[in-house]
Amino acid sequence: YLYPVRTILKAPQDYYIVPADYGGAELAGIAWLSDDKTMIDHVRRNALSPEDPDYYEIHSQMAVKAFRLDCVPTKKGLEDAGKLHLRIAAKSIIFGIPYGRGPEALVRECRQEGVEDITVDDCRLLIDTYFQLYPKVGDYLNECKRRSQVE
């Protein structure tokens, strides 16, 4: 596109266009549907201001935990450590797991996001970390899969 979509939309006189970001809605939905208390807490804290002491940045935290990195678990912390690509990979995995994406598909998705130096083993490690942190999500997804199968 030559121009961002926002530049082609115009509200009528006396009206306003209010932008909304529902990016966290998928995470919140899977957290609540699975009743995974840890993920519910992380999603709620992720919605706080980054300046709030209770703020929890899900994607960076996942990358730092999975790879046992010695840096601040924030986007800037990973960037300063030269590991921002791992946050991008973690984000792809966190959003891809509910859709049933496996490590190979997630590597391809990471590469589409510009992350070239990610491996299938890296993605497996992130997936394992996800299910260790949020085990009830795994149970919920398995139950959904079981219920969807034709008997």
Side-chain angles (χ1 to χ4, degrees):
Y1 294 103
L2 183 58
Y3 302 102
V5 171
R6 289 182 186 162
T7 64
I8 63 171
L9 301 174
K10 185 175 179 183
Q13 187 173 342
D14 298 326
Y15 289 87
Y16 298 92
I17 295 175
V18 179
D21 180 4
Y22 296 110
E26 291 169 300
L27 295 182
I30 197 80
W32 292 320
L33 288 169
S34 68
D35 197 33
D36 190 297
K37 301 299 185 205
T38 302
M39 190 173 201
I40 291 169
D41 177 61
H42 291 172
V43 167
R44 285 184 176 153
R45 291 171 53 201
N46 191 67
L48 298 172
S49 165
E51 289 77 34
D52 190 300
D54 287 332
Y55 177 69
Y56 188 91
E57 208 277 285
I58 290 175
H59 311 304
S60 296
Q61 289 277 355
M62 176 76 67
V64 168
K65 283 181 172 116
F67 296 100
R68 297 187 175 131
L69 302 174
D70 187 24
C71 66
V72 179
T74 62
K75 191 173 184 179
K76 177 153 178 32
L78 286 165
E79 186 174 27
D80 290 348
K83 302 289 184 181
L84 188 58
H85 67 287
L86 296 176
R87 182 190 180 277
I88 296 167
K91 186 174 181 180
S92 293
I93 279 141
I94 288 168
F95 283 107
I97 284 174
Y99 293 98
R101 291 190 187 118
E104 293 82 7
L106 290 163
V107 166
R108 286 190 301 274
E109 186 173 328
C110 287
R111 294 203 172 129
Q112 289 175 348
E113 294 289 328
V115 178
E116 295 295 328
D117 53 346
I118 198 79
T119 67
V120 170
D121 288 337
D122 292 336
C123 287
R124 279 193 189 107
L125 179 59
L126 285 161
I127 290 168
D128 291 345
T129 301
Y130 177 94
F131 287 123
Q132 287 167 5
L133 283 171
Y134 310 123
K136 289 187 81 177
V137 173
D139 295 342
Y140 173 73
L141 294 173
N142 286 334
E143 178 60 17
C144 288
K145 185 175 180 180
R146 185 196 64 75
R147 287 190 336 233
S148 70
Q149 302 303 309
V150 176
E151 292 185 19

